[in-house]
């Protein structure tokens, strides 16, 4: 039994982990009925990844282990972790990379290292680091964050200039020493930071010696949508963080890539933060497997989804709203009396939707969309819907 | 094929992870030849646990998954993690427990919570928190540590009193607000904190409202040696940390148990520190399995080892040195010209020793000792040794 | 020779300390000619206070010492410092007050105490604490500051609500625990925080248990302008800081007033910050003297200035621009070819202007305006000006 | 009336500030009767300095101001503060010096700057920075302090080596980056750090790039006793702190001297800590006056005291105990029934003793000893004592 078929077999029950549009909100029991019969290869229109269940994850690990000996790391150093770090350093065009157990820590330690004990960091008002990290940068590293772009996906060079210039009038110097940019922006439904502003802001920062960090948790998704190598995005920044669990199906884990001068001592900082896992190889080997070929697979899924959205829009009972400057999130409105019943009917057919929200479904494109054709998906939507 | 036999099958090659006496030092390639034929059930005289290889770990996970659906946690909350936390809270006699990815963080957050922003913490000069945690308590939480008992396994109430009294003469109050005690002490070869002093120090601390933390990374080992429930040790302290990876075969993980008032908000602190793993169930389910019955299994292994040490001491070519007040570490001296050859001969017979150090072997007792009888082990030592 | 006449005698040369409109910018040598003959009682249209020279300060201290024994403090505790603290606690209607060497520290320790290790603090984007304190609150106490009201004198309840509500959607709680408000606002030329918003914001905060701090460095100035007791302003807040050196002629010093529960342990925090001056009585006795009767004296000065501004506005060569919602800062435009010569002519007559800025003079009202009548001042302006 | 006579006149009442042997403990009212007639020039056998009263301090300031214009500083920068800093930089042989309001902050910022965000600092267990500064270095700068030499005046190179070597075995590097040494040691009654160990420790530290700070609060006292220039002591260290208020009669203030590279940016750090006094010239001018000629004057006082101690020791009713390796503190035992009465009799004669402690008086040598001859002092002791 090969890897794929084993996984397909195990995949029954995976619908239990349906995840909301923001990618991290738990689904209540009420919203997640466990259908008795889910087909082996569901298209999961939730989350950025395959949404592996524990069973599937165990099967993947066993499959990887049976393919040859895995060299374990030692406190997150060496072995499979080292291989993963090299793999990402190469893809991202950086001197080196380091494994982190979470993206929260990856962002934190990047900003901490770039600030080097001095100055303030500019971040997006709607970014993860500003909203969802417990103010760790400020509380544990004492680095003030200046949020720009309230309610928006990005900020402008003009806003950056204003902040930098204002510090010139302060009595005690508190210069901007870091700019951290998240793209795509989770809290803006996957909208991307404007490419022109990105170019202008990073150019400006480099001229002034301001450190640049890219929170690219979902950068691979954006890269696939824009058909550009991830290294092109990373090249504009000193450091870049990539989530392993979001796109590459690990239970946990993140990669931080950047220059050796910043990252070589970070093993010790990671340890100090209590993040030097005694063994991280289970995360590393899974990510290593799935990052290979991700770009092509994801582009195919995008193609399926685009065809699906285009076709579905022509049907009377459905409307598709795209996010301006968006990536893999879209809103599907369904003219149906009972959206939960609609969802249950699709789930029985192996198509997993998130719970309805405001009379519609926020769907997310990921690799599972490759499991069906666009027309097949449209047919099922039609069959499940109607009045 | 049941779980055990599968693991036995996969166990070939496990000798590669032989680990030195201090439990965490990597073994150099030179010291770790991969014998072509290792018996299926080695007795590994290194490390506190079974020393599972990646293959074995994957097999264990698959085995657990096939035994019924695993409920995944959500950012280290709920599901299998919740079950694990309840299991340990119950065993340790505490109101609740919380999963931490590492012991470094468990110790840190315990001291941080107990100090509550005030005062100093007394620790052992030879403790993990003082020597091996990158000064995290001091650097990230600003809590001064006062080390007592240089070169020793413990400290005395008299020493504690002196420090507490001295603070009364300081111009600015800096009271002792926490005492953290590690037992057994890794840097003292598993020697235990003196029970009488432990009683006196903890009684004294409670009278003064000084918070008490137990670094019980290997507490289950001590409990097995002393034939006392772990809850009896934990009862003397407000909080207690238990390592999951040291005794319970997880790749990573720790438990911190204590009162609800301290631990209920710690999920957020854990997240702030970048330690809220998106999924921790792979660690939780493995630990849950192995903690069940650990006490009895380990006591049997102790019996095997005690018989082995006693018998081996009667043989001319061997001497056994026990650690005063020690637990599962002992030094075995071998009258042989080539200790590496001796070690290789034993390894071929399924008995794994650490690399020789100073003309002897520091051996550690763990559950794998149950795989042979004492007399069988002695016979193999005799056969491998001699001149 | 009584106190006043001695000070008048010594006052020659005081023009050397002319200070710009922002109250703290040094005057360059070029701008500060030392006229050979300055009348004994200059009207100094710069700074909030009398602008005592070192000679004058020494004379004041000697005068105070000769009036009866001064009880020195002991490390900023007791004696004259205690008297000062009681005096201000009474005036401000607070349980107690504590001396601080600087306003920077007074603001910092107030926010630190109110936050109690939790949450974020909302501040004005144009406030001293956000712009001129080296990010001390963030760097040394790890408390994130959220700036509101860019380019404005205040912020609205709606803006506060938005921030508070937004934190409810964060993954890790980071509630707003403190709101700090500065009024009048130095960086807005003495404009005051809108009274209606102040009422609404403080009411809202109290309902939610959010700590409230008033940076009232120049609160006595605002109180005099609005003819309200300072205690009425202070009553809306938990803590209030008053600058001693700005209005009360001390070389340095500040008062922080508030509840005993917050301030009783602050002597130790002050010491920890290296701010427990071995003796602070020189600052305390000067402030104690000048705060007595300040309100009435300053209101008289305001009356003089208002008459002066009104009359001057009727003259062709002059225009007076008031700050909207302002207090004691105004802009005087002069139709003259050489503003420096104009200024020098006035200085020879005992009227000290700040250096010209943008074709005008930013003048500040303080107690020295009581030394002349409005008409006398206008006459001198006319005589010095013209074309 | 010249300066000295004015001060003599004002000096009546100065006995009220008698200060205990540790130099900083307040005297209770009971212990400090205000004699109705104190001679104009008391010999104050308490404290390191003249013990100026507020009246005397005011007189000194007035005297300094009348001697020519004092240039005020601007937020502790420029003017009289600049002059003071240059004066001390020159005397101490350092590139520059910076004024600090307290020694607590001077020590803190020196260690903070030398550590540069890395490593631990070794200090004396009996030092001021370890005992009397509220753990500021640890709490506000996150720098762990390692105390050596419990109950002693110094520590040895061997102890330093042990600590440095031990860090080599830690899992996470936490190197010793600073050594701070206090001499003389206040908590050891003015005993000095052993000169040989000082040489060895500082040589060792320099070889390893470990930063060196000298807490020389009373260094001028030691230098006078050992007849060596202060610069010779300072030359062994990167930075050195000198108390201004202890020896040089200012109400408050300290000097930190060292290399430009460390101190040039410290104005901003000082400001961030809330220690940028708006005006510090009152402290600066007093210190500038008294540091001139201090060495010679103090050596004369030492000579008086040595003759006094020698002669007093020959009298039956008295015994003098010197501190081993001590400086200006000694214990005088008096065979008298009522030590308070004895003390009062001497005070009436213009000789001020500290309150009795344990049947003896801890006397301190300072410049006031120059006001009488040794034989005159002995005569008064004899006359006041007896049985």
């Amino acid at each position: 039994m090969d890897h794929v078929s084993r996984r397909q077999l195990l995949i029954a029950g995976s619908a239990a982990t349906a995840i909301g549009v923001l990618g991290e909100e738990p689904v209540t029991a009420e919203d997640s009925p466990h259908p008795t019969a889910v087909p082996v290869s569901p298209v999961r229109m939730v989350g950025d990844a395959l949404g592996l269940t524990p069973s599937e994850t165990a099967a993947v690990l066993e499959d990887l282990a049976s393919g040859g000996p895995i060299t374990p790391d030692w406190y997150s150093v060496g072995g499979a972790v080292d291989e993963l770090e090299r793999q990402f350093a190469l893809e991202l065009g950086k001197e080196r990379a380091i494994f982190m157990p979470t993206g929260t820590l990856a962002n934190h330690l990047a900003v901490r290292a770039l600030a080097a004990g001095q100055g303030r960091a500019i971040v997006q008002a709607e970014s993860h680091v500003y909203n969802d990290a417990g103010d760790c940068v400020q509380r544990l590293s004492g680095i003030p964050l200046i949020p720009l772009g309230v309610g928006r996906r990005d900020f402008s060079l003009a806003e950056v200039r204003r902040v930098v210039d204002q510090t010139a009038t302060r009595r005690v110097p508190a210069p901007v020493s870091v700019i951290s940019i998240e793209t795509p922006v989770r809290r803006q439904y996957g909208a991307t930071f404007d490419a022109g502003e990105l170019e202008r802001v990073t150019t400006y920062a480099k001229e002034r010696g301001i450190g640049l960090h890219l929170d690219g948790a979902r950068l691979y998704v954006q890269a696939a949508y824009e058909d550009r190598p991830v290294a092109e995005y990373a090249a504009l920044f000193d450091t870049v963080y990539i989530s392993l669990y979001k796109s590459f199906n690990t239970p946990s884990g993140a990669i931080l890539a950047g220059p050796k001068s910043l990252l070589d001592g970070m093993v010790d900082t990671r340890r100090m933060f209590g993040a030097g896992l005694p063994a991280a190889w289970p995360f590393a080997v899974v990510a290593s497997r799935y990052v290979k070929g991700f770009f092509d697979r994801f582009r195919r899924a995008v193609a399926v989804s685009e065809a699906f959205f285009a076709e579905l829009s022509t049907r009377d009972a459905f409307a598709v709203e795209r996010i301006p400057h968006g990536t893999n999130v879209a809103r599907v409105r369904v003219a149906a009396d009972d959206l939960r019943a609609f969802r249950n009917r699709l789930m029985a057919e192996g198509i997993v939707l998130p719970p309805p929200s405001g009379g519609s479904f926020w769907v997310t494109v990921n690799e599972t969309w490759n499991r069906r054709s666009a027309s097949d998906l449209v047919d099922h939507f039609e069959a499940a819907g109607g009045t």
Side-chain angles (χ1 to χ4, degrees), chain A:
Chain A
M1 185 183 287
D2 67 9
H3 164 64
V4 173
S5 59
R6 176 202 299 273
R7 202 167 65 236
Q8 286 173 339
L9 193 69
L10 287 164
I11 220 155
S14 69
T17 54
I19 292 170
V21 67
L22 291 184
E24 300 185 7
E25 272 57 49
V27 171
T28 64
E30 170 187 20
D31 292 326
S32 300
H34 290 250
T36 47
V38 173
V40 292
S41 292
V43 171
R44 295 169 38 76
M45 297 185 168
V46 289
D48 298 295
L50 296 173
L52 299 185
T53 62
S55 294
E56 292 166 315
T57 300
V60 169
L61 276 173
E62 174 109 13
D63 186 60
L64 288 164
S66 67
I70 294 170
T71 310
D73 55 299
W74 186 255
Y75 279 83
S76 307
V77 173
V81 169
D82 189 55
E83 285 171 42
L84 178 81
E85 291 172 346
R86 287 199 233 184
Q87 192 174 2
F88 270 98
L90 196 67
E91 286 216 20
L92 294 164
K94 296 297 183 191
E95 287 179 3
R96 70 161 292 186
I98 181 169
F99 173 86
M100 293 285 163
T102 67
T104 296
L105 193 66
N107 279 333
H108 181 177
L109 295 196
V111 173
R112 180 182 171 101
L114 289 167
Q118 298 292 332
R120 299 172 161 191
I122 289 177
V123 300
Q124 282 141 293
E126 308 304 329
S127 62
H128 184 278
V129 71
Y130 190 66
N131 293 282
D132 302 299
D135 289 337
C136 58
V137 178
Q138 295 152 295
R139 299 189 75 81
L140 298 177
S141 294
I143 300 167
L145 300 185
I146 305 180
L148 296 182
V150 173
R152 288 157 38 203
R153 62 183 171 120
D154 57 11
F155 49 71
S156 68
L157 174 58
E159 289 168 284
V160 171
R161 273 185 193 281
R162 187 186 61 74
V163 169
V164 171
D165 292 348
Q166 190 185 11
T167 65
T169 72
R170 291 164 198 275
R171 194 164 308 136
V172 188
V176 172
S177 54
V178 183
I179 297 176
S180 173
I181 286 177
E182 177 181 336
T183 189
V185 184
R186 191 183 71 86
R187 282 179 168 265
Q188 295 291 303
Y189 299 94
T192 59
F193 201 101
D194 180 76
E197 290 294 352
L198 193 68
E199 179 72 30
R200 284 187 285 277
V201 167
T202 55
T203 300
Y204 171 86
K206 274 171 194 153
E207 288 168 4
R208 275 152 193 78
I210 297 173
L212 284 161
H213 173 64
L214 172 57
D215 175 345
R218 291 167 176 80
L219 182 65
Y220 276 73
V221 169
Q222 179 171 349
Y225 268 88
E226 299 179 348
D227 197 12
R228 294 176 60 198
V230 288
E232 282 190 26
Y233 302 88
L236 299 175
F237 294 85
D238 295 301
T239 52
V240 54
Y241 140 63
I242 303 291
S243 172
L244 300 181
Y245 103 93
K246 289 200 177 70
S247 295
F248 307 124
N249 304 304
T250 60
S252 301
I255 277 289
L256 179 65
K260 276 175 176 295
S261 57
L262 273 180
L263 268 55
D264 275 351
M266 205 173 275
V267 164
D268 297 326
T269 312
R270 185 180 63 186
R271 187 75 172 250
M272 176 173 70
F273 272 83
L277 301 183
W281 62 260
F283 304 152
V285 294
V286 174
S288 279
R289 157 167 292 191
Y290 286 104
V291 70
K292 286 183 200 123
F294 175 87
F295 191 82
D296 291 339
R297 294 194 309 271
F298 203 89
R299 281 187 61 74
R300 284 205 308 275
V302 170
V304 171
S305 71
E306 293 295 326
F308 168 75
F309 292 145
E311 181 62 24
L312 197 69
S313 299
T314 67
R315 309 299 165 103
D316 286 351
F318 301 94
V320 178
E321 295 172 18
R322 306 301 294 270
I323 304 296
H325 315 287
T327 48
N328 66 334
V329 177
R331 190 170 199 169
V332 175
R333 296 192 178 276
V334 183
D337 290 339
D338 184 346
L339 291 184
R340 288 173 189 278
F342 171 82
R343 178 175 177 247
N344 284 341
R345 285 190 291 270
L346 277 179
M347 204 176 292
E349 301 296 323
I351 298 171
V352 182
L353 284 175
S357 162
S360 62
F361 295 97
W362 287 95
V363 303
T364 305
V365 178
N366 54 50
E367 288 190 46
T368 66
W369 290 58
N370 286 327
R371 294 170 178 167
R372 304 278 180 95
S373 68
S375 60
D376 181 53
L377 291 170
V378 170
D379 289 347
H380 276 99
F381 268 62
E382 287 248 303
T387 47

